[in-house]
Amino acid sequence: MSINRCMLLFSRVQHRICVSSNSSSRPPDTSLFVPLSIKSDVGSDGAVGAELTQPLDKNELLKMLNKFYKRKEMQKIAADQGLDARLFHQAFISFRKYVLEISMLSADLHIIFNDICCGAGHIDDLYPYFMRHAKQIFPMLDCMEDLRKISDLRVPANWYPEARAIQRKVIFHAGPTNSGKTHHAIQRYLAAKSGVYCGPLKLLAHEIFEKSNNAGVPCDLVTGEERTFVDEEGRQAEHVACTIEMCSVTTPYEVAVIDEIQMIRDISRGWAWTRALLGLCAEEIHVCGEPAAINFVTELMYTTGEEVEVRNYKRLTPFSILDHAVESLDNLRPGDCIVCFSKNDIYSISRQIEIRGLECAVIYGSLPPGTKLSQAKKFNDPEDPCKILVATDAIGMGLNLSIKRIIFNSLVKPNINEKGEKELDTISTSQALQIAGRAGRFSSIFKEGEVTTMHRDDLPILKEILSRNVDAIEDIFVSLSQVDGMYFVCNIDDFKFLADMIQHIPLNLRSRYVFCTAPINKKQPFVCTSFLKFARQFSRDEPLTFDWVCRHVSWPLVPPKNIKDLVHLEAVHDVLDLYLWLSYRFMDMFPDANHVREIQKELDSIIQVGVRNITRLIRATETNAPPGTNPLSNQRRLGPSPVSPRRVRGAPKAQDSGVEGWQLDKSLGSRLVQEGLLTPDLLRQLQKEWSKVHRQEEEGVKLVAGNNKTKGNKKKKK
């Protein structure tokens, strides 16, 4: 591996560091150092050494070299130059091979060996020549100190010299959802001569982009897939709204706004908040988020020598937790929002609502931004007959919604733990508050909000969750870091997944790295297949033209006829997003971004048609499915009955579950019931069938054993 590649890899690691390792400096992993081969060519000075002295005996040379290798003093001196025991051994083997195989040594080395043979020199005199050879096969030794510096991840604040060169003022706007904290930060942003807004979602960046320009403050938009300049000639505006991963840490601003700072704890994306907080070059840094992050941000700023001013906000409109669950969809009211944690539940509940003659809007994470906004507008419109919203926790950030009552359909959500492992668990207090806070909004017709659950058994659990204090963010890092404010490397499972996928495709290091950082949904087979084809086409140095993309996605596309079609269209939208993302990194190879963006807008409209008719798609899916097959070939099922009881980890057993003697929080049956794949009645039926099959198998085994015994007795009689 060349020194440039080593330095590049080390520098790339820095961008994935989040706010742990031991405080002591660790030596570099020399297993990464691969020696270069050295040709044993005749020196330029030919046989000058032999002419000045005498020919050398190879056996004597071998004895001298082995004696040099055994000198502990030489190993210690070499270690100071970066040659640990492993590298010293490799360098010596290469040096010995070079000396013994070359036909004529260089004059200076020949003379040194001759002096040692004659007793006029010491064996240690070989050290400079040995090190000269070692640096030829390990060129990174010349910059070991630089490598140590860039691989020392203990003080990330030092990675941003531009930010450290100015004295920044950090202001923390702390408060719950709908408290006006972000509003006050944005007002300062709009009043500044220059500013940058950093948000967690494209929707939020779009919202600030539009708000700024509508207020007469020219503002550009920068996301991973989009660059929009308000200046017709493409000159950059003084203000920019961006997704947080795309913020510049070298451009100077008067004001910077970092939204949803509590996401700095996220094991996959937290690095982006860390980078923005430490690296933005702004005179004022306005941080918005939960009060639980105050102490952590304050401690983090101590490492930069910057003080934090805290401004606390209270919720503008109250919300109350009801004393009764909804229990049936017959009890829905205008302004209700049912929150689910899976698309299966979304489909099922939407279908049940439609059966009751009600219209509902649908919002979930994989929908395109335009479709989400369209559904939100439909639900918010007082003149529209749609008064019910069915959504995932995607509504927690980025959308202004007129919700009167939040209804939790479940309290169990798939999560990724600190080890990067997926697990089902009860939602946290922070998550519950983020969602519940959407009920009632100062600027909507519902000034006061209400929160409850769909199922009776979940309500006391929800009350208990919401009664807890939100864990301070620093508590999360205590077990990971030292008291001197260490950091941890973010989860890179997605990076490794993509790296494994394209490891067989010939790409240079930079291109391979960029492809591996692409934001794709690895759960979608079509998206993964497209990613692979993009990389393969790129490796052939063949541009991915608009016509090529159209052939790949089978454009033009038609409105979906069933849920499977809708899911595929969502995947195609993600593929076009991937193209646009890559087009900003490799403009020559992805040359038709404008055309792709145009068909993506058309696709968004097609998906909107499908979502508006989602209940019809569900009916078509159910009708067209062959008997005995899963009606959603790429989904597990439509979801549970809206009133089927749930089991939540840590909650008392439901009295009406009918599943006696089962430890639901530990069994497979519990997991299936939690995910809505089984009802308790089906579970009891399966138990009976399993018991019956087990008895039959035992009887069959006994019968076979009896027959074998009879046959054995007959053989003995014979």
Side-chain angles (χ1 to χ4, degrees), residues 310-510:
V310 179
R311 299 178 185 176
N312 289 295
Y313 301 83
K314 294 183 179 180
R315 185 175 168 84
L316 297 173
T317 56
F319 74 82
S320 57
I321 307 173
L322 300 181
D323 291 326
H324 57 274
V326 175
E327 298 194 77
S328 170
L329 295 178
D330 294 328
N331 299 325
L332 292 179
R333 304 195 301 256
D336 279 348
C337 172
I338 305 173
V339 177
C340 310
F341 294 113
S342 74
K343 281 202 290 186
N344 294 328
D345 286 356
I346 293 276
Y347 297 148
S348 174
I349 290 174
S350 301
R351 176 82 170 96
Q352 295 291 328
I353 292 173
E354 191 269 348
I355 290 174
R356 288 163 170 76
L358 302 174
E359 285 193 37
C360 69
V362 173
I363 296 175
Y364 51 86
S366 59
L367 287 176
T371 304
K372 291 177 186 173
L373 290 171
S374 174
Q375 291 291 296
K377 183 178 180 181
K378 177 183 176 70
F379 174 71
N380 289 338
D381 187 356
E383 306 299 324
D384 197 289
C386 171
K387 302 300 180 186
I388 308 296
L389 175 64
V390 184
T392 62
D393 54 335
I395 65 165
M397 291 183 292
L399 290 171
N400 293 318
L401 298 163
S402 298
I403 298 172
K404 171 63 175 176
R405 183 169 63 167
I406 287 285
I407 303 167
F408 285 88
N409 183 62
S410 169
L411 297 176
V412 177
K413 179 186 177 181
N415 287 317
I416 299 178
N417 61 24
E418 290 82 358
K419 298 179 181 179
E421 300 167 340
K422 293 182 180 179
E423 61 182 13
L424 282 173
D425 205 351
T426 308
I427 59 174
S428 67
T429 299
S430 177
Q431 292 168 332
L433 286 171
Q434 189 78 30
I435 298 168
R438 309 302 289 180
R441 191 167 185 84
F442 183 74
S443 58
S444 75
I445 60 174
F446 301 116
K447 301 301 182 185
E448 296 186 6
E450 299 172 342
V451 180
T452 187
T453 59
M454 178 62 71
H455 310 296
R456 184 187 308 174
D457 296 325
D458 287 345
L459 187 55
I461 302 166
L462 177 63
K463 288 184 177 181
E464 196 274 328
I465 291 172
L466 292 176
S467 68
R468 303 176 196 154
N469 293 323
V470 179
D471 291 335
I473 286 182
E474 61 264 33
D475 291 346
I476 294 174
F477 297 96
V478 166
S479 62
L480 298 175
S481 60
Q482 304 298 316
V483 294
D484 58 351
M486 303 302 289
Y487 299 71
F488 70 90
V489 180
C490 284
N491 182 282
I492 56 171
D493 285 347
D494 289 347
F495 186 99
K496 292 189 289 186
F497 174 83
L498 297 181
D500 289 341
M501 192 186 303
I502 62 172
Q503 58 88 19
H504 64 285
I505 297 177
L507 295 168
N508 62 47
L509 183 64
R510 178 187 176 274

Side-chain angles (χ1 to χ4, degrees), residues 118-149:
C118 299
H122 193 275
I123 195 70
D124 292 354
D125 295 339
L126 289 176
Y127 177 77
Y129 304 94
F130 165 75
M131 281 303 302
R132 183 175 68 184
H133 182 87
K135 290 181 178 181
Q136 286 181 305
I137 65 170
F138 293 120
M140 63 284 295
L141 292 174
D142 278 329
C143 58
M144 283 297 291
E145 188 58 32
D146 291 333
L147 284 177
R148 285 193 184 95
K149 288 180 180 179

Side-chain angles (χ1 to χ4, degrees), residues 40-324:
S40 300
D41 295 331
V42 177
S44 58
D45 48 2
V48 174
E51 293 175 358
L52 294 176
T53 57
Q54 61 184 0
L56 297 172
D57 185 340
K58 297 289 184 180
N59 290 328
E60 290 298 321
L61 290 179
L62 181 58
K63 291 178 182 178
M64 283 187 280
L65 289 169
N66 289 339
K67 185 178 179 181
F68 172 82
Y69 178 72
K70 295 176 182 179
R71 290 274 295 165
K72 297 297 182 184
E73 293 81 356
M74 294 298 97
Q75 295 183 23
K76 290 179 181 179
I77 296 174
D80 293 336
Q81 299 295 317
L83 283 179
D84 61 11
R86 179 180 177 278
L87 295 186
F88 184 85
H89 178 74
Q90 285 186 293
F92 173 75
I93 296 299
S94 178
F95 182 57
R96 185 176 62 187
K97 181 180 179 182
Y98 168 78
V99 170
L100 296 179
E101 291 185 356
I102 193 170
S103 57
M104 285 178 282
L105 291 171
S106 61
D108 55 351
L109 183 56
H110 186 107
I111 293 171
I112 288 295
F113 273 117
N114 183 75
D115 288 348
I116 297 172
C117 286
C118 299
H122 193 275
I123 195 70
D124 292 354
D125 295 339
L126 289 176
Y127 177 77
Y129 304 94
F130 165 75
M131 281 303 302
R132 183 175 68 184
H133 182 87
K135 290 181 178 181
Q136 286 181 305
I137 65 170
F138 293 120
M140 63 284 295
L141 292 174
D142 278 329
C143 58
M144 283 297 291
E145 188 58 32
D146 291 333
L147 284 177
R148 285 193 184 95
K149 288 180 180 179
I150 65 174
S151 63
D152 185 352
L153 308 180
R154 292 176 296 164
V155 191
N158 293 344
W159 302 343
Y160 309 103
E162 292 90 348
R164 301 291 76 78
I166 60 177
Q167 187 63 33
R168 307 182 308 170
K169 181 180 180 180
V170 182
I171 302 169
F172 195 124
H173 300 264
T177 306
N178 196 22
S179 61
K181 58 184 184 295
T182 305
H183 171 77
H184 286 86
I186 294 301
Q187 292 305 306
R188 178 66 186 95
Y189 162 83
L190 294 175
K193 295 180 181 178
S194 62
V196 57
Y197 168 84
C198 308
L201 302 172
K202 287 184 286 186
L203 274 176
L204 283 170
H206 271 276
E207 180 183 344
I208 302 304
F209 165 72
E210 293 177 356
K211 180 179 291 187
S212 183
N213 286 300
N214 291 339
V217 179
C219 177
D220 295 336
L221 175 69
V222 177
T223 70
E225 301 80 22
E226 187 174 0
R227 308 285 191 280
T228 302
F229 298 99
V230 292
D231 184 84
E232 294 181 355
E233 297 181 4
R235 289 189 293 265
Q236 293 184 5
E238 296 296 327
H239 288 69
V240 60
C242 63
T243 47
I244 193 158
E245 286 86 351
M246 301 305 297
C247 71
S248 169
V249 292
T250 56
T251 305
Y253 300 102
E254 182 182 347
V255 169
V257 177
I258 304 175
D259 210 354
E260 305 294 350
I261 187 61
Q262 68 276 0
M263 290 192 69
I264 200 170
R265 78 175 83 187
D266 188 275
I267 62 173
S268 297
R269 295 183 67 200
W271 64 269
W273 276 263
T274 303
R275 173 176 173 268
L277 185 58
L278 295 177
L280 281 171
C281 298
E283 298 171 22
E284 294 180 20
I285 308 289
H286 290 258
V287 177
C288 307
E290 297 177 357
I294 293 175
N295 290 341
F296 177 72
V297 171
T298 302
E299 290 289 335
L300 191 60
M301 291 299 96
Y302 285 157
T303 67
T304 65
E306 296 163 334
E307 297 181 2
V308 178
E309 176 188 336
V310 179
R311 299 178 185 176
N312 289 295
Y313 301 83
K314 294 183 179 180
R315 185 175 168 84
L316 297 173
T317 56
F319 74 82
S320 57
I321 307 173
L322 300 181
D323 291 326
H324 57 274

Side-chain angles (χ1 to χ4, degrees), residues 652-673:
K653 291 185 179 179
Q655 298 301 315
D656 56 347
S657 68
V659 188
E660 299 177 359
W662 280 67
Q663 307 228 344
L664 291 181
D665 56 336
K666 296 181 180 178
S667 67
L668 175 60
S670 164
R671 190 64 59 88
L672 295 174
V673 171

